[in-house]
Amino acid sequence: QVQLVESGGGLVQAGGSLRLSCAASRGIVSFYSMGWYRQAPGNQRELVATIFNSGATNYADSAKGRFTISRDFVKNTVYLQMNSLKPEDTAVYYCNGQVSTAQYWGKGTLVTVSP
């Protein structure tokens, strides 16, 4: 079974940057799209950014202009470059990969932004 593994989370001061990575653990997998979601304490999980096979991207309003999603098709890895981080960005960030018949989720990586 294919698994998605996130890395790169941690503690950062407001205004700082982090880069999250997510890679398929094994197998030959071609995702229709890959993306990042986040869930803050007491809140619902929300979309942060997605990237499609065409290279097109989609961002939440809260992320647009500060975050950049990219994809390495050789390594089957998706990245989320997060700049100008705010305390409101504090959440568990989850990697998502979508094919025509199923979705896959990572276990999440915690991002904490201190004021």
Side-chain angles (χ1 to χ4, degrees), residues 59-115:
Y59 295 92
D61 288 341
S62 61
K64 192 173 184 179
R66 299 187 298 124
F67 295 0
T68 302
I69 189 169
S70 60
R71 185 172 176 179
D72 185 330
F73 288 94
V74 175
K75 297 181 179 180
N76 203 20
T77 300
V78 65
Y79 304 92
L80 184 68
Q81 178 66 47
M82 304 187 294
N83 299 324
S84 301
L85 283 163
K86 305 175 181 179
E88 304 94 279
D89 296 318
T90 296
V92 177
Y93 284 70
Y94 296 91
C95 180
N96 169 268
Q98 181 175 293
V99 296
S100 61
T101 59
Q103 290 187 350
Y104 297 87
W105 292 93
K107 295 181 180 180
T109 184
L110 177 63
V111 172
T112 302
V113 184
S114 62

Side-chain angles (χ1 to χ4, degrees), residues 13-70:
Q13 297 290 316
S17 299
L18 285 173
R19 189 185 73 165
L20 306 183
S21 300
C22 172
S25 61
R26 56 181 172 84
I28 301 175
V29 178
S30 182
F31 292 106
Y32 168 71
S33 68
M34 299 188 76
W36 291 93
Y37 291 71
R38 68 186 182 188
Q39 186 169 14
N43 294 331
Q44 298 295 113
R45 189 175 299 186
E46 64 179 2
L47 172 70
V48 178
T50 57
I51 184 167
F52 300 88
N53 286 337
S54 65
T57 57
N58 186 32
Y59 295 92
D61 288 341
S62 61
K64 192 173 184 179
R66 299 187 298 124
F67 295 0
T68 302
I69 189 169
S70 60

